[in-house]
Amino acid sequence: MTKEFFKEHKEPPGKEALRHKVKEFTAPGRKIGEYAEAIERIFEKFGYNTKFYQGKLLEFINRQSISNALRDSTILLEQGEIDSIGKEISKAIQTGRELNSSILYDYFSQIQERALAYQEHKANKEGRLATGFYPLDEKIQGGLGAGETGVIIGLPKHGKTTTLVNMAVNALLGGKKVLYITLELKKQIMASKFDMRLVGKSLEDIKKKPKTFFNEIKRLQQKITGNLTIIEYPTKLMTLIQLQSEIDHNNPQVVFVDYASLIRSTLRSDEKRHITSDIHEGLRRIAGECNVPIWTAHQANRPGFDKKVLGMEHTSEDINVPAICDICCSINQTPDERRRGYARLFIMGNRLGSSEDIIPMKVDWGTSHMNVAMDDDNLE
């Protein structure tokens, strides 16, 4: 049953499809309800290790196909049809190869499919979510795509969260469903950062006129179709499984994790770099399985304090972080630039286009507002 479903649809059956198919194969005197518990147990496994269990399903189907061929071969042997035995075994092996065809890609036979995908991307860059920083968006094909991860690397208190907040606000104002997960700051503090950014006022000014603030946010809510959900987990308590569960439950169009290194890894290792790699690899896997872009932040190491521009070598714990993600930028400031409200985004790694570009930024720390600077002369 599952073999025929896979051959027709090129994927294992989902829960509802499996229930529907089981009805057709229910034994006489049995009821579909008797199979319901088993089906639920099967799909409890799906989510965190989806690819693993899909692989196990394909292994089972392949094994079953070979087993059936051997059983039929016994009958053929008794009937003296020796030549047919080889054909049955060959057919079973071919079935297994067809089931695993999802890992194969015939380059030339897929030309039209790729051309159509390129045409669609050129027309509307569907599925890519803009950061709101147009020079960066130009370098990453319009934004971060579903299934991709982006990382902002910076020194402590140098604008990593502010950068993520501004990207999230751009998505929100663009009508997107945004999920922001904070693993360091309280959810109320994160909400106040969004308050400042959205109304363009400092927290002190907002507190002086709370009614004015309330009315401005309500008017904004009526104008936009996007939504923002903030989730707080204490440091090192959220696991990758819980992250994927939150994404599945909230069904966002973009996710921000502030920040990934504060996720609790289940990997047992004395090497922090191994744990860091495990977290970021897991983050990218979740982005792919949930089909959503994920932005996060990461600390720079101590040698970065003496550098004007942070490069890959200044990635704390594990230099593999920029290699794992699709786009990696550092946020840079000299003390004087910070006082004057300037910063620089440096594209240190970019799987989607060119890198090594520096983007000047203007930052208003009082309102958490960040945008591309027009006057490069103000940068050091």
Side-chain angles (χ1 to χ4, degrees), residues 1 23 27-28 46 50 62 94 101 106 116 129 136 150 164 197 199 224 229 244 258 260 281 334 353-354 361 368 379:
M1 177 189 72
K23 289 180 182 179
F46 281 77
T50 304
N62 195 16
Q94 182 61 29
S101 63
D106 189 329
L116 290 173
L129 194 133
L136 177 59
L164 294 181
R197 174 61 181 81
V199 301
I224 64 175
T229 300
Q244 183 157 1
D258 193 2
E281 286 168 356
T334 64
S354 64
M361 307 296 293
S368 291
L379 297 174

Side-chain angles (χ1 to χ4, degrees), residues 4 55 63 76 193 214 244-245 259 271-272 311 333:
E4 295 303 321
R63 246 187 348 260
L76 292 171
K193 288 182 178 294
F214 176 83
Q244 183 157 1
S245 177
Y259 51 94
E271 295 280 351
K272 286 187 177 181
Q333 282 186 320

